[in-house]
Each structure stands twice: as structure tokens, then as C-alpha cells.
């Protein structure tokens, strides 16, 4: 069952959450019941009528894959955590990181269209559906972040039970938002008072109502009367232009709605999962956009790819110019982001497009320091928002696969 995809899912989740909510109003928390309710929801999420063992719907291939994956990641993380103080070599870090990313890499490679023909059908049924499961990307992000923080020494303690709880947290399991282990554990350890929990519930109700407006009203109508009719006869400049607007709006409202649901359910558990969107179409430039759009993913790539690669280049003194190294880091950051979405040309093109925008804007910022603008008012602000909006929506047109 797709998370937040049907009213049945919301009904089941609400029924299971009733004891959690009652305890929350009393300023209490049952870790045992939280674990049981999470396990039940995970079984329901991964249930399958076709891909299962012994004809049992709730013993699905994806569920078994997820359990094996959790054990795999936990074994890697705990081994690296306990062995790092004795031997913190780059080789060990590289091996652990490679093994952690390996399941996701196999899924991305064998599910890509460039394999072609019958081969893709074979892999989809024999390999992808066994090693892959709903949300493998976002769970992998959590594991990779943890491994990097262990190497950096910023995580002092990891308990196996908390690790399983962090990886398997069902509200955000399929599409994020991507939480951080230290922040998650901090919320989990601190039980809100009754008054604090009431505030969380009120926020959760507001987000659920807004999520329904975004996903099931606005996104639905934009898709039904904009995206679908336009893509059926997508030819000519005007239709591409209109499709660009419609697809961008659908993408935002659909994903923002889902994110609001995930955060709201997290709040009901007393976990303040960070937000994913902050009015992204009000961005004044491309850097501002990535500080507002899919923020947990953007910040993950910033911390794990951009900052790490820039630090490595600076440490090795691969270039004399810090600006040049920053541009290379931006290129790697967005190229990997494109590859993560998929190995199709349009996904990689989307990543390279944003890399070009980031690098180009960096040159513009340097030029602007030498040539301060004469005007800075509401008109120039509105103009910068409009220009940024069109650069961003053109990127989504590339991402949609309809342009390439």
C-alpha cells in the first residue's frame, strides 16, 4: 500500500496512532507500542498481492528485501562504528561506503531504460524486485549520512535499537523528508509534556489539511486538466511552454502534500521531522531555490557531496583557486544528484543543467561585487523571482523527459 496514497492508509494509520496520541496528551510515550505500530505499518506498506511468499500478501518480497537491507546496513554501520577508533583509514571508510550504497546502485543500474528490451524485463522481475523496495533511496541516504558522521567523529554513540528505529521510521520511509540520526534520537529521547504535545497535534492537523489541499485537490486538478491533456499532444512551442508550467506545479503540490503528511504523522509520534519545502517559487536566485526546494535532500547533497568533495580538494590542494574547486564540487554535487534520480539522459541532463546554473550564478555574484546594482527595490525583486522561476521550471521540463 502506497504511503498516503489512499484514504484506507490514513484510516489504518489513524487507528494505530490512537494509543500514541492518548499517551502523548498525558505527557507519556510507550516505546514498545511505537515499535509495534511501526512494524505493523511497514508490513502494510510493503504488502503485495503478486510478489509474495507462499501466497501470503503480508509476507511480500519487498518486506523481506527491506528486512535484509536493514540488517545489512546495521551490520555495516555498527562494525564501522566500533572499529573506527582503532583503525580509521580511508580504505575502510571507502569499502563500508561502497557496500552501503551497493544495493541502491544495483537498483538504479538494472532499472534504467538504457539496458533495453527483454533484459530490463528480466532484471525487473528477478533482481530489482528482490533487492529493491519502496524508499530504498531515502533509507540509503540515512545510512550514508551516518557513516560519514561516524568518520567525522560527530556521532559519539550509536545504539542498535535506535539505529533500527531510525532506519525503519515509517512516516518518512518512502520519500523522506530525510532526517539526521542525532536530531531524530534527540527528539525520541525527549518526551513532550502534555501541553507541548497538544501544540504538535495542532500543527499536525494543520499540515494534514494543507496536505490534502495540495495533493488531492490542487495537484489532482493540475494533473487532470493540465499535465495529462498537454502531454497527449505535446508539439509546438506553446504546448511545451504550458506543459512546463503545469508539470512544475503538479510536481510541487504533489510532493509538498506528501511531505506534509509525513511530517504530520512524525509529529504525532513526537518526532519533529524537518520541513521539505519553503515557498520555493518565491526564490530570488538558483541558490535561494535550493535552500527552499526539497530542503532535506538539498542539504544532504550539500553536506555529503559538495562539502566533502570541496574539503578533499582543498586538503590535497588540487587547484590553486578556491572558486574553481567550488565549481568542480558543484558539478559533482548536481551530476550525482542527476544520476541518483536515474541513469536516463534527461535525469543526468537535469543535474548538469542545475550545475551550470549554480556555476554561472557564482560568476554573476563575483561580477556583481565589482559592479553593485543601481536599483534594489520591489520591481527588481519581482523580476529576479520571475527569472528564477522560469529557469527552474525549464529544469523540470528537462526532468520530465518530454524535452529530451
Amino acid at each position: 500500500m502506497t504511503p498516503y496514497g489512499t484514504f484506507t492508509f490514513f484510516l489504518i494509520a489513524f487507528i494505530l496512532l490512537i494509543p500514541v496520541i492518548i499517551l502523548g496528551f498525558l505527557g507519556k510515550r510507550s516505546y514498545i507500542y511505537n515499535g509495534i505500530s511501526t512494524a505493523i505499518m511497514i508490513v502494510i506498506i510493503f504488502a503485495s498481492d503478486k510478489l509474495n511468499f507462499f501466497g501470503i500478501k503480508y509476507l511480500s518480497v519487498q518486506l523481506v528485501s527491506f528486512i535484509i537491507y536493514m540488517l545489512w546496513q546495521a551490520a555495516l554501520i555498527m562494525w564501522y562504528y566500533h572499529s573506527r577508533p582503532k583503525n580509521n583509514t580511508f580504505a575502510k571508510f571507502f569499502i563500508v561506503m561502497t557496500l552501503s550504497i551497493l544495493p541502491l546502485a544495483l537498483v538504479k543500474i538494472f532499472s534504467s531504460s538504457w539496458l533495453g528490451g527483454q533484459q530490463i524485463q528480466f532484471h525487473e522481475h528477478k533482481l530489482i524486485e528482490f533487492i529493491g523496495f519502496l524508499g530504498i533511496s531515502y533509507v540509503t541516504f540515512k545510512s550514508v549520512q551516518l557513516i560519514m558522521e561516524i568518520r567525522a567523529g560527530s556521532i559519539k554513540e550509536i545504539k542498535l535499537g535506535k539505529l533500527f528505529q531510525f532506519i525503519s521510521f515509517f512516516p518518512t520511509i518512502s520519500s523522506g523528508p530525510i532526517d539526521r540520526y542525532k536530531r531524530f534520537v534527540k527528539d525520541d529521547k525527549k518526551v513532550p509534556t502534555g501541553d507541548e504535545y497538544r501544540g504538535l497535534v495542532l500543527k499536525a492537523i494543520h499540515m494534514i489539511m494543507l496536505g490534502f489541499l495540495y495533493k488531492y485537490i490542487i495537484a489532482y486538478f493540475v494533473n487532470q486538466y493540465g499535465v495529462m491533456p498537454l502531454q497527449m499532444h505535446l508539439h509546438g512551442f506553446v504546448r511545451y511552454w504550458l506543459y512546463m508550467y503545469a508539470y512544475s506545479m503538479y510536481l510541487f503540490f504533489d510532493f509538498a502534500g506528501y511531505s506534509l503528511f509525513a511530517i504530520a504523522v512524525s509529529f504525532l509520534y513526537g518526532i519533529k521531522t524537518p520541513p521539505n519545502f519553503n515557498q520555493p517559487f518565491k526564490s530570488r536566485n538558483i541558490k535561494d531555490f535550493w535552500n527552499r526546494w526539497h530542503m532535506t535532500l538539498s542539504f544532504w547533497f550539500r553536506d555529503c557531496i559538495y562539502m566533502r568533495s570541496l574539503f578533499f580538494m582543498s586538503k590535497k590542494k588540487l587547484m590553486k583557486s578556491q572558486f574553481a574547486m567550488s565549481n568542480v564540487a558543484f558539478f559533482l554535487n548536481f551530476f550525482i544528484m542527476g544520476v541518483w534520480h536515474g541513469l536516463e539522459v534527461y535525469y543526468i541532463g537535469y543535474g548538469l543543467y542545475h550545475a551550470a546554473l549554480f556555476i554561472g550564478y557564482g560568476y554573476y555574484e563575483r561580477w556583481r561585487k565589482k559592479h553593485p546594482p543601481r536599483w534594489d527595490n520591489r520591481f527588481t525583486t519581482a523580476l529576479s523571482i520571475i527569472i528564477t522561476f522560469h529557469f527552474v521550471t525549464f529544469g523540470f521540463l528537462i526532468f520530465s523527459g518530454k524535452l529530451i
Side-chain angles (χ1 to χ4, degrees), residues 108 125 146 150 238 275 291 305 382:
K108 292 296 182 182
H125 290 288
L146 254 172
I150 291 170
V238 174
N291 285 328
I305 306 299

Side-chain angles (χ1 to χ4, degrees), residues 97-221:
M97 186 65 72
T98 301
L99 292 174
S100 179
I101 297 172
L102 182 61
L104 175 61
L106 291 174
V107 170
K108 292 296 182 182
I109 291 170
F110 290 114
S111 62
S112 294
S113 60
W114 53 262
L115 285 173
Q118 295 299 317
Q119 191 177 12
I120 186 173
Q121 295 179 13
F122 172 82
H123 284 297
E124 280 180 345
H125 290 288
K126 299 298 182 181
L127 179 62
I128 298 306
E129 289 173 350
F130 184 75
I131 65 172
F133 56 87
L134 181 69
I136 186 172
S137 291
Y138 292 91
V139 177
T140 301
F141 285 145
K142 291 182 177 181
S143 302
V144 168
Q145 174 72 27
L146 254 172
I147 294 169
M148 287 187 171
E149 289 181 343
I150 291 170
R151 176 169 172 78
S154 59
I155 291 183
K156 305 301 181 183
E157 181 185 39
I158 296 180
K159 293 183 178 180
L160 186 60
K162 292 296 180 186
L163 177 60
F164 280 127
Q165 184 184 352
F166 174 64
I167 293 176
S168 63
F169 190 56
F170 92 83
T172 62
I173 200 167
S174 62
S175 297
I178 306 166
D179 208 345
R180 306 295 176 96
Y181 179 79
K182 288 172 64 177
R183 203 216 61 75
F184 178 89
V185 171
K186 182 180 178 182
D187 277 0
D188 187 61
K189 287 182 176 178
K190 184 182 182 299
V191 180
T193 64
D195 289 336
E196 289 173 336
Y197 189 77
R198 289 185 189 92
L200 291 176
V201 170
L202 289 174
K203 290 179 181 178
I205 293 172
H206 173 75
M207 285 187 280
I208 289 172
M209 293 177 67
L210 192 60
F212 272 106
L213 173 64
Y214 279 12
K215 185 174 177 66
Y216 290 111
I217 298 177
I218 299 177
Y220 172 80
F221 280 103

Side-chain angles (χ1 to χ4, degrees), residues 340-355:
W340 164 70
H341 279 101
L343 297 180
E344 285 74 18
V345 174
Y346 45 89
Y347 289 140
I348 297 174
Y350 173 77
L352 295 178
Y353 171 75
H354 274 279

Side-chain angles (χ1 to χ4, degrees), residues 219 222 227 245-257 277 281 293 350 396 399-400:
V222 170
V227 175
Y245 289 146
Y247 181 77
S248 298
M249 292 299 103
Y250 168 74
L251 204 63
F252 167 69
F253 284 108
D254 183 73
F255 197 17
F277 296 93
F281 294 133
W293 174 270
Y350 173 77
F396 288 140
F399 182 85
S400 71

Side-chain angles (χ1 to χ4, degrees), residues 308-346:
R308 304 280 174 170
S309 56
L310 182 60
F311 175 76
F312 176 80
M313 287 186 289
S314 300
K315 185 178 180 181
K316 299 295 182 180
K317 298 180 180 179
L318 298 181
M319 298 179 184
K320 294 182 179 180
S321 170
Q322 186 75 12
F323 180 69
M325 286 189 289
S326 179
N327 286 340
V328 172
F330 279 133
F331 174 84
L332 290 173
N333 183 84
F334 286 103
F335 174 73
I336 293 173
M337 183 184 286
V339 170
W340 164 70
H341 279 101
L343 297 180
E344 285 74 18
V345 174
Y346 45 89

